[in-house]
Amino acid sequence: MGTHMCMKFYWMLLLLLLSNGYLALGVEAENLSRPASVNIGCILSMSSIVNKVAKIAMDAAVEDVNSNPDILDGTKMNIIVHDSNYSGFLGIVEALRFMETNTMAIIGPQSSVIAHVISHIANELQVPLLSYAATDPTLSSLQYPFFVRTSPSDLFQMAAIAEIVDHYEWREVIAIYVDDDHGRNGIAALGDELAERRCQISFKAPFNKNPTIEDIRDVLIQVALTEARIVVVHTYADTGLDVFSVAKSMRMMERGFVWIATNWLTTILDSNTTLSSDVLENVQGVLALRIHTPNSQLKRNFISRWKKLESKEAQNDSLGLNTFALYAYDTVWILARAIDAFFREGGNISFTKDPKLSGLQGGKLQFSNMSIFDGGILLLRKILQVNMTGVTGPVQFTSDKNLIRPAFEVVNVIGTGRRIGYWSNYSGLSIEPPEIFYGKPPNRSSANQKLYSVIWPGQTTQKPRGWAFPQNGRELKIGVPNRVSFREFVGVVPGTDQFQGFCIDVFTAAQSLLPYALPYKLVPYGDGHSNPTDTDLVRLITAGVFDAAVGDIAIITNRTKMVDFTQPYIESGLVVVASVKKSNSRPFAFLRPFTPKMWGVTAVFFLIVGAVVWILEHRLNDDFRGPPRRQMITVLWFSFSTLFFAHRENTVSTLGRFVLIIWLFVVLILNSSYTASLTSILTVQQLYSPIKGIESLQNSNDPIGYQEGSFARNYLIEELNIKESRLVPLNLPEDYARALRAGPHNGGVAAIIDERAYIELFLSTRCEFSIIGQEFTKNGWGFAFPQDSPLAVDMSTAILKLSENGDLQRIHDKWLLRSACSSQNTKLEVDRLELKSFSGLFVICGVACLIALLVYFILILRQFRSRQAEPESPNVSTRSRRIQTFLTFVDEKVEPEGSRSKRRQLEASSNRSLDEQNFSPKRNHSEITSARST
């Protein structure tokens, strides 16, 4: 037993030793697979102040990584820096040199242009390329799988600018940019973001990478000649400062302009703490963006270290900390964590000769020494899987290789700059840091989009309009319809090339209220022999023939799809006008309040109610009894006397009174309605027309007139389905009158359909015609401008001012007020009272009669059956006899219930008196004896 226990102990000890040995061997194998150091390439343009600051931050990150035992497990990170000096060619050369030294990854470059070129090398040799400053959005495409951006893309920066433009309700911007991959692709992204918000880039002003002052001046002259005043500057630091310097000298940094700079400006302000006062003066009032990094303990610790790091690396320069330096610091840490995960998954540093390069000879460039990094795909995957918290906040990549939660600060450059708000793709514009919104549901409503007040260029707090009339000396070419009729609205002054009329005066008055000069020239449109089509005039605006259109132009749906209209300056819908006749002199005018059907139904109900009351009262009421002739006269008299509430017959039954009350209420309503309608007919001069409105025209085949060139023609055909053959074009007001007088059977028309403004002017001197019915469309007239034209908004504001101060009404009275026809005591014939207006009353009365009759006959049948329950002789059991008996029973006179009660009371009182006499003690002896003998 003891021996057995000893053997067990021996074997357990042996297994324990073996397991520890294998574990030690595994650890040693892992350590052996890790090299003592890894080479990381870095391509920078060291003449850039941004890269000078970033270099200090990367050196600090390498030092922190190599001194941290929890990362890389003893492997040292070695960064080799090469200077590309802003040259794409040198960038390529330096990248190829890295490929000869077994480099695992490359950090940089700053320039998007160089990044585009080097990305091809990274793709070929499968070496990850990490950039903290190449912000071109197209670098994230599938074309460059080995490119990883470790800072927010310009795609989000442009979205922030577009949202700022939309927030201030501007619609057009001007883009100034460097004409390279960085500038073009960034502005393209801005155009897409603006289009989503119904805004646009109205003018693009590119220049080369190294422009002279004269080049910049030429570009800004073109900008000054445009109408938009919202300028977005997307360029490099040195060039951008030159742009603002030239703009300042050209007086373009004054009131009315809005300048928005991308994050290059805040980077300069943060990095260079020794900017001169002249440079700062040039950018006062500019809006700029800065990449937002959340406030954290890691960030505060790094900021506190910065002064020491900066003084150590740059003894002669005073460099401030910018956001790109923070992202450069985190980029080193991202790569370090990815390399650590790469080694933990068994990755090793090995390279394979690229067969495509083996036969190339390049002088000092040994292409045959360049190899493909075997672990490049694994390292790229580990980079994109990094999930850490750095000095810039949470670091994590989305599926499209962008950092999560991109956010920017909105800075108003006053002094060295003040923050007026934030933007993030989660919450939009806000005055609170975006971190507080991440735990809440997203809310992008306009009420939540806020920024603090801005001091704009020119030291003003009033929001600029964002638009001004261009100072290029060109006059606006405004098309005006050359009308041949209704020239009171718009027409050419005879013998001149000038215009006059209501529409022209409104336009002139509104133009005078604009806060800027508006040079324009009115150009006639039309042949002068017939009215032109306003839709064709509007279409010429979209074709660029005219810059605007002024005149009697109706605002209708298909035109609003082509141009923008101002606020309507006159209301004008389609109406029907026809000939009318006086109709109050007819001898039987008293019959006109009711339609024939109404008169017939009313008369029938008088008879019905009289008959029903007779039935209900016949057995009880002596007024409704007697010979048949008398009863018929009584029914007729009673029925029609209720019209005047003059009936003499009393009703004694409850059901009869119920029916009579309902009927008298109906008669009261009929009397009131008839009296009111007849009073209107006899006291107001009435006009009669066989046309009742647009409905009667639709249901007939008579010809219809319309004004030539008006939209009424298409409306009648397309919307009301009226045959085109029925439509007759007319030009002059005299043509209108002639066609209406002739009528539809003598070569004229039954009615004319036109806009109310024209018809009111036409009717002001022609009293034999009138508008029939109501307007069947609602629209107005406005001035037309190209879509998204700010001039349309300014003119609308001016028209509203004209309306508020009364000038618009005064202009109307000047041209359109006529008083030849007095219509205050004349109106179209009032519609006759129809049966449908009183059908409810008749239904109520009819139902009351039916209910009363039904209850009455039920009571009669019950009484008849109770009498039939008495014994009868056999010879009265036939059906005819029973019917005769029932009719006799119905015709019997019955005392009313009240009369019978009184009779019973009288009989009972009489009986009691007799009893008292019979039992009185004073009776005489003879009476008692007689009674006894009896």
Side-chain angles (χ1 to χ4, degrees):
M1 189 69 177
T3 306
H4 182 66
M5 292 295 294
C6 289
M7 290 296 294
K8 274 188 171 182
F9 178 76
Y10 172 76
W11 286 110
M12 289 177 63
L13 183 60
L14 182 60
L15 289 173
L16 182 61
L17 292 173
L18 289 174
S19 63
N20 288 336
Y22 282 118
L23 182 60
L25 288 173
V27 174
E28 184 180 358
E30 183 181 347
N31 288 334
L32 289 176
S33 64
R34 290 177 178 256
S37 63
V38 292
N39 292 330
I40 305 299
C42 182
I43 300 178
L44 301 176
S45 298
M46 295 309 300
S47 60
S48 165
I49 191 171
V50 174
N51 283 333
K52 289 179 181 178
V53 176
K55 174 66 167 55
I56 298 173
M58 284 191 290
D59 290 342
V62 171
E63 181 180 348
D64 293 343
V65 168
N66 290 336
S67 61
N68 191 332
D70 298 329
I71 193 76
L72 291 181
D73 199 12
T75 300
K76 300 298 181 181
M77 179 181 285
N78 181 29
I79 292 186
I80 305 171
V81 178
H82 288 172
D83 187 1
S84 66
N85 197 23
Y86 284 113
S87 171
F89 174 74
L90 291 179
I92 296 173
V93 172
E94 299 301 339
L96 293 175
R97 289 176 58 191
F98 282 133
M99 297 301 101
E100 297 177 343
T101 58
N102 295 342
T103 301
M104 290 185 66
I106 300 175
I107 296 177
Q110 173 194 1
S111 170
S112 297
V113 176
I114 302 175
H116 272 280
V117 178
I118 299 179
S119 292
H120 291 286
I121 300 174
N123 291 346
E124 180 67 25
L125 302 179
Q126 298 185 7
V127 176
L129 177 63
L130 290 77
S131 178
Y132 57 86
T135 54
D136 179 1
T138 62
L139 287 169
S140 298
S141 64
L142 297 177
Q143 182 182 3
Y144 307 112
F146 282 87
F147 177 84
V148 179
R149 183 187 292 107
T150 57
S151 63
S153 165
D154 276 344
L155 179 66
F156 304 107
Q157 182 173 210
M158 298 307 172
I161 293 176
E163 202 143 342
I164 291 172
V165 171
D166 185 55
H167 174 72
Y168 288 111
E169 299 178 341
W170 298 316
R171 287 293 171 261
E172 294 184 356
V173 303
I174 298 171
I176 297 178
Y177 60 97
V178 175
D179 194 11
D180 59 9
D181 292 334
H182 170 69
R184 283 192 303 270
N185 296 331
I187 295 303
L190 175 61
D192 294 339
E193 295 293 336
L194 288 171
E196 291 182 7
R197 295 160 177 83
R198 298 192 64 185
C199 306
Q200 64 175 352
I201 299 175
S202 61
F203 183 72
K204 293 182 179 180
F207 45 72
N208 58 46
K209 185 176 179 181
N210 297 305
T212 63
I213 296 299
E214 290 303 319
D215 293 336
I216 296 175
R217 189 180 302 277
D218 291 342
V219 168
L220 291 183
I221 288 174
Q222 298 178 43
V223 170
L225 294 178
T226 61
E227 59 187 27
R229 288 295 180 263
I230 314 300
V231 185
V232 177
V233 182
H234 182 53
T235 180
Y236 299 114
D238 296 338
T239 305
L241 293 178
D242 290 339
V243 168
F244 285 115
S245 176
V246 175
K248 180 75 172 179
S249 66
M250 295 177 61
R251 304 176 65 86
M252 296 176 66
M253 296 298 298
E254 297 182 354
R255 180 174 301 190
F257 280 89
V258 175
W259 293 84
I260 303 176
T262 50
N263 58 0
W264 64 266
L265 180 56
T266 53
T267 302
I268 287 295
L269 295 176
D270 295 339
S271 304
N272 195 336
T273 59
T274 60
L275 284 175
S276 66
S277 60
D278 292 339
V279 174
L280 289 176
E281 182 65 24
N282 293 336
V283 295
Q284 295 300 294
V286 176
L287 290 183
L289 296 180
R290 177 191 289 123
I291 303 175
H292 173 66
T293 55
N295 193 15
S296 64
Q297 189 60 46
L298 284 175
K299 179 180 175 181
R300 289 193 294 269
N301 292 340
F302 186 76
I303 293 174
S304 65
R305 293 174 55 194
W306 178 253
K307 191 63 179 177
K308 181 180 178 180
L309 294 172
E310 180 262 337
S311 60
K312 177 182 176 181
E313 296 292 335
Q315 293 83 358
N316 299 326
D317 296 328
S318 178
L319 301 177
L321 180 62
N322 59 51
T323 53
F324 285 119
L326 299 178
Y327 279 102
Y329 181 87
D330 276 353
T331 300
V332 175
W333 274 96
I334 292 171
L335 191 54
R337 292 185 181 276
I339 293 173
D340 185 61
F342 171 82
F343 287 136
R344 290 182 185 278
E345 196 165 313
N348 57 75
I349 302 176
S350 63
F351 294 84
T352 303
K353 297 295 184 182
D354 189 349
K356 299 178 184 178
L357 303 176
S358 59
L360 296 178
Q361 298 295 328
K364 292 184 178 181
L365 291 176
Q366 301 296 324
F367 292 105
S368 59
N369 294 336
M370 299 177 189
S371 305
I372 298 174
F373 179 31
D374 297 328
I377 296 176
L378 176 60
L379 179 58
L380 175 64
R381 186 167 68 249
K382 293 305 176 183
I383 291 173
L384 297 177
Q385 291 175 355
V386 166
N387 187 356
M388 71 176 201
T389 300
V391 295
T392 60
V395 177
Q396 190 177 349
F397 293 95
T398 62
S399 58
D400 55 358
K401 299 193 300 182
N402 283 313
L403 288 176
I404 62 171
R405 300 178 179 175
F408 289 85
E409 298 175 5
V410 184
V411 177
N412 182 204
V413 183
I414 297 297
T416 57
R418 65 184 186 96
R419 184 175 57 236
I420 61 171
Y422 302 86
W423 177 90
S424 73
N425 68 332
Y426 186 81
S427 57
L429 297 173
S430 67
I431 57 177
E432 301 290 341
E435 295 83 52
I436 68 173
F437 298 103
Y438 292 142
K440 303 176 184 179
N443 188 346
R444 301 296 290 270
S445 63
S446 57
N448 285 347
Q449 304 300 296
K450 299 177 182 178
L451 291 174
Y452 287 118
S453 61
V454 179
I455 299 178
W456 306 99
Q459 299 298 311
T460 178
T461 57
Q462 183 179 2
K463 185 193 77 171
R465 290 195 317 271
W467 181 88
F469 194 79
Q471 302 173 0
N472 53 12
R474 187 179 69 88
E475 294 180 330
L476 282 182
K477 190 177 180 181
I478 300 178
V480 181
N482 188 8
R483 296 190 57 84
V484 297
S485 63
F486 299 107
R487 293 176 178 269
E488 293 86 349
F489 293 102
V490 59
V492 179
V493 179
T496 68
D497 57 354
Q498 298 180 354
F499 289 85
Q500 65 179 5
F502 169 72
C503 302
I504 301 300
D505 281 5
V506 172
F507 174 77
T508 303
Q511 179 267 334
S512 66
L513 295 178
L514 296 178
Y516 46 83
L518 181 67
Y520 63 90
K521 181 180 180 181
L522 301 180
V523 180
Y525 172 73
D527 56 12
H529 302 291
S530 61
N531 291 328
T533 303
D534 290 337
T535 301
D536 293 339
L537 174 59
V538 168
R539 191 174 288 112
L540 291 178
I541 298 176
T542 62
V545 177
F546 294 119
D547 299 310
V550 170
D552 50 342
I553 304 173
I555 304 173
I556 57 177
T557 304
N558 65 330
R559 295 175 185 172
T560 58
K561 296 177 180 178
M562 295 184 285
V563 296
D564 283 350
F565 282 94
T566 62
Q567 171 82 13
Y569 58 88
I570 189 172
E571 299 294 330
S572 183
L574 291 179
V575 294
V576 177
V577 62
S579 299
V580 292
K581 299 178 181 178
K582 296 181 180 180
S583 60
N584 62 347
S585 58
R586 297 181 182 180
F588 294 97
F590 66 89
L591 294 176
R592 285 168 52 199
F594 288 166
T595 61
K597 187 183 292 185
M598 180 67 183
W599 280 117
V601 172
T602 302
V604 169
F605 260 84
F606 272 108
L607 297 176
I608 290 175
V609 171
V612 170
V613 172
W614 178 84
I615 293 172
L616 299 175
E617 295 287 325
H618 178 67
R619 300 186 75 222
L620 305 174
N621 195 339
D622 291 336
D623 291 340
F624 292 89
R625 299 185 63 81
R629 180 180 178 184
R630 176 188 172 189
Q631 294 182 49
M632 185 173 295
I633 293 174
T634 299
V635 169
L636 293 175
W637 166 256
F638 177 83
S639 300
F640 290 101
S641 63
T642 56
L643 178 62
F644 311 101
F645 303 96
H647 53 285
R648 294 176 298 176
E649 294 78 11
N650 294 323
T651 53
V652 298
S653 67
T654 302
L655 293 175
R657 291 174 179 174
F658 168 71
V659 171
L660 185 60
I661 288 174
I662 299 297
W663 175 243
L664 290 178
F665 174 73
V666 174
V667 170
L668 176 64
I669 301 300
L670 293 177
N671 272 338
S672 302
S673 302
Y674 176 84
T675 303
S677 180
L678 184 62
T679 301
S680 176
I681 290 173
L682 296 180
T683 57
V684 179
Q685 185 180 10
Q686 300 288 308
L687 300 177
Y688 168 77
S689 174
I691 305 298
K692 301 303 179 184
I694 188 63
E695 293 82 6
S696 61
L697 287 176
Q698 285 181 275
N699 298 329
S700 70
N701 291 316
D702 294 333
I704 302 172
Y706 70 94
Q707 183 180 171
E708 187 174 4
S710 171
F711 73 95
R713 177 182 181 277
N714 290 337
Y715 183 87
L716 295 174
I717 296 173
E718 298 172 4
E719 301 296 333
L720 301 183
N721 298 319
I722 294 177
K723 295 180 180 179
E724 186 177 0
S725 58
R726 294 177 55 193
L727 302 181
V728 179
L730 303 170
N731 252 335
L732 302 174
E734 291 74 14
D735 298 336
Y736 283 25
R738 189 182 306 110
L740 289 173
R741 292 191 184 105
H745 305 296
N746 297 314
V749 296
I752 292 175
I753 294 179
D754 204 351
E755 296 181 66
R756 176 176 287 275
Y758 299 122
I759 295 303
E760 288 180 347
L761 186 62
F762 169 74
L763 295 178
S764 64
T765 56
R766 296 170 178 83
C767 306
E768 69 270 31
F769 311 113
S770 180
I771 295 175
I772 308 297
Q774 303 295 323
E775 291 184 43
F776 53 92
T777 66
K778 292 289 185 181
N779 53 40
W781 294 352
F783 305 134
F785 294 91
Q787 286 187 336
D788 299 321
S789 171
L791 189 56
V793 178
D794 290 349
M795 288 295 290
S796 294
T797 303
I799 290 172
L800 288 175
K801 291 180 180 178
L802 290 176
S803 177
E804 292 169 357
N805 61 24
D807 288 344
L808 192 60
Q809 185 62 43
R810 283 189 284 272
I811 297 173
H812 177 275
D813 295 344
K814 171 186 174 182
W815 289 99
L816 308 180
L817 188 62
R818 301 288 186 271
S819 58
C821 287
S822 176
S823 59
Q824 58 181 356
N825 293 321
T826 305
K827 65 177 183 178
L828 281 174
E829 181 182 25
V830 178
D831 290 338
R832 307 175 76 179
L833 299 175
E834 298 182 355
L835 177 61
K836 62 182 179 180
S837 301
F838 301 91
S839 58
L841 287 174
F842 287 125
V843 169
I844 293 173
C845 184
V847 171
C849 292
L850 289 176
I851 293 175
L853 290 175
L854 181 62
V855 172
Y856 174 77
F857 282 116
I858 290 175
L859 295 175
I860 289 295
L861 287 174
R862 289 181 61 185
Q863 295 174 10
F864 180 72
R865 286 183 179 179
S866 65
R867 174 177 290 189
Q868 291 296 310
E870 300 175 358
E872 297 180 353
S873 58
N875 57 353
V876 295
S877 60
T878 61
R879 176 174 296 180
S880 61
R881 180 61 62 87
R882 288 175 63 85
I883 294 174
Q884 184 178 359
T885 303
F886 177 73
L887 294 177
T888 302
F889 173 77
V890 171
D891 191 55
E892 288 181 354
K893 175 69 171 68
V894 178
E895 290 291 335
E897 190 66 27
S899 300
R900 280 182 285 178
S901 299
K902 291 179 181 179
R903 189 176 65 182
R904 291 193 190 99
Q905 292 176 2
L906 291 174
E907 289 177 353
S909 175
S910 177
N911 290 336
R912 285 195 298 270
S913 298
L914 291 174
D915 291 341
E916 290 175 357
Q917 293 176 3
N918 290 335
F919 292 98
S920 174
K922 297 181 179 180
R923 291 182 302 171
N924 57 36
H925 179 74
S926 61
E927 288 176 341
I928 296 174
T929 304
S930 176
R932 286 178 178 176
S933 63
T934 302

